[in-house]
Amino acid sequence: TVPSPDMDANSALPYGEPPDGEVMVLASPRPVPASLAPVLPLRMEVSEIDEGCVRLGTLPAQLQASLLRESFQAGAQGVCGGLCEGERVRGANGVPFQPAGMTEVDWSGLGLHGRHMVPYDSMHESGAAAAVLATIRAAAPALPAAAQAKLEEFMPCCVRVAFETMGGRQIRPASSLCGWSADKLRANGGDGGLKLLVLLGDAASVTEGFKYTRRKDEQALEVPLRPGEMLLLYGEARSWLSAVTGYAPPKGRAKESGGPFSFVHLSFEDLRNYAKAKPKEYGKLLRPSHPSAGDGGYKWMQFSYTVRKAPSGPGGLPVIDLRGHE
């Protein structure tokens, strides 16, 4: 079920259970308000990295900070953790990260990494997410023809947030931070719909690595990004494996993202086909269960959280309920 464009987003938040037999997909066919145009960058630098991969940049620091705050909205549910080593979970700088029961934290209390997803329509229509999307659409004439066609079809229904705190960790040459993985948010192997990836955080730069196949001897395509830069991925590029293969810490500059994370992958996702093909998996994206030791991802994610109160503005902190070990 796709709610009407005129539906109040708060009345359709998919944090509760949808009606039996239905899949709740929030999608916004509405154009971004023209009133945003004066505050958006007039020109975006566009470079085609490879077929299906285009880099754009750079979003203003204020817009980056607003986007991160907007993505930590009340009701968002996610998972987080550290590095599981037997019965011990290691957090930043080797310090144990083992919360117990329910505790109240801000976004600095979520361990080394975490992720959650929020509906695009539940974000403020005149806010940061809408401004970013307006910026991308304004840059359409400079994009390759194939990217323009994909952008015309693009209707994001969700925004996914995946954050990382390096906490003293380093990435060795010819290695990666957390290994290589495929894009699991595709309806099927032929799904080449567009994805917009925005890099946020306090890193000087992050290197995004891509492999065209699963062969171990495949040389990686490496794309360095600075906070505020973006990637459009579409077509065959959606089938590539990806990993973080490089990280450069900030060099004496003030924090600009408004949060404590080393870097954040914030992606605008058009999951309409995915939700139809995989309704149960889609529901788990918005309402993930509390991790258990038998889960495949327990090595990375051991705890769960719910954002109770969103950041109130610049410098504001979210109020988050963190569920630790029972």
Side-chain angles (χ1 to χ4, degrees):
T1 300
V2 180
S4 163
D6 298 323
M7 180 180 290
D8 178 4
N10 290 328
S11 68
L13 285 176
Y15 298 125
E17 292 296 329
D20 291 342
E22 295 190 16
V23 178
M24 185 69 75
V25 180
L26 293 183
S28 177
R30 294 171 296 192
V32 175
S35 59
L36 288 172
V39 302
L40 299 177
L42 296 178
R43 298 182 62 182
M44 293 288 290
E45 181 179 340
V46 177
S47 57
E48 185 175 20
I49 305 300
D50 202 343
E51 186 174 352
C53 179
V54 177
R55 178 169 54 199
L56 303 95
T58 302
L59 297 176
Q62 181 180 357
L63 182 53
Q64 295 178 48
S66 296
L67 183 61
L68 182 61
R69 291 196 303 271
E70 193 170 291
S71 68
F72 272 77
Q73 60 180 244
Q77 300 176 29
V79 293
C80 64
L83 300 179
C84 186
E85 301 171 337
E87 297 183 356
R88 178 176 178 267
V89 178
R90 176 163 57 90
N93 302 307
V95 177
F97 177 63
Q98 300 187 132
M102 296 293 294
T103 55
E104 180 182 300
V105 300
D106 58 40
W107 45 22
S108 66
L110 297 176
L112 288 177
H113 34 237
R115 63 174 184 266
H116 65 262
M117 184 175 284
V118 296
Y120 176 78
D121 266 14
S122 67
M123 304 177 82
H124 301 296
E125 183 180 345
S126 60
V132 171
L133 196 55
T135 301
I136 298 301
R137 297 200 187 282
L143 298 175
Q148 292 185 38
K150 292 291 186 181
L151 185 58
E152 289 180 1
E153 303 170 354
F154 186 56
M155 190 188 300
C157 59
C158 294
V159 173
R160 183 177 186 269
V161 185
F163 50 87
E164 197 80 33
T165 297
M166 293 301 288
R169 293 174 295 164
Q170 297 182 344
I171 303 175
R172 298 188 302 272
S175 184
S176 65
L177 182 61
C178 297
W180 295 86
S181 62
D183 187 340
K184 297 180 177 62
L185 299 182
R186 301 168 69 207
N188 51 57
D191 185 354
L194 186 141
K195 168 186 287 192
L196 169 61
L197 175 68
V198 184
L199 182 72
L200 303 174
D202 296 308
S205 68
V206 171
T207 302
E208 310 289 343
F210 297 99
K211 287 187 177 182
Y212 303 110
T213 72
R214 292 181 179 273
R215 291 185 302 172
K216 292 183 179 181
D217 60 347
E218 185 73 25
Q219 184 175 2
L221 168 69
E222 295 198 324
V223 183
L225 292 180
R226 294 170 298 180
E229 293 187 321
M230 299 166 283
L231 286 179
L232 291 180
L233 298 168
Y234 56 92
E236 287 296 322
R238 291 294 305 278
S239 68
W240 296 348
L241 302 180
S242 64
V244 172
T245 57
Y247 167 79
K251 298 180 179 179
R253 65 182 180 89
K255 290 192 172 188
E256 296 177 342
S257 71
F261 308 119
S262 299
F263 63 90
V264 179
H265 287 140
L266 188 146
S267 56
F268 289 68
E269 306 276 355
D270 186 343
L271 299 181
R272 290 172 294 165
N273 291 333
Y274 178 92
K276 293 176 183 178
K278 304 176 181 180
K280 291 184 179 180
E281 289 85 347
Y282 177 77
K284 292 178 181 179
L285 293 174
L286 293 164
R287 299 178 296 275
S289 58
H290 185 73
S292 63
D295 297 339
Y298 191 78
K299 178 180 179 181
W300 313 108
M301 308 291 182
Q302 303 85 25
F303 313 107
S304 60
Y305 63 90
T306 300
V307 179
R308 186 176 357 129
K309 182 180 179 182
S312 58
L317 297 174
V319 178
I320 301 172
D321 293 324
L322 175 64
R323 180 183 173 188
H325 292 307
E326 301 297 336

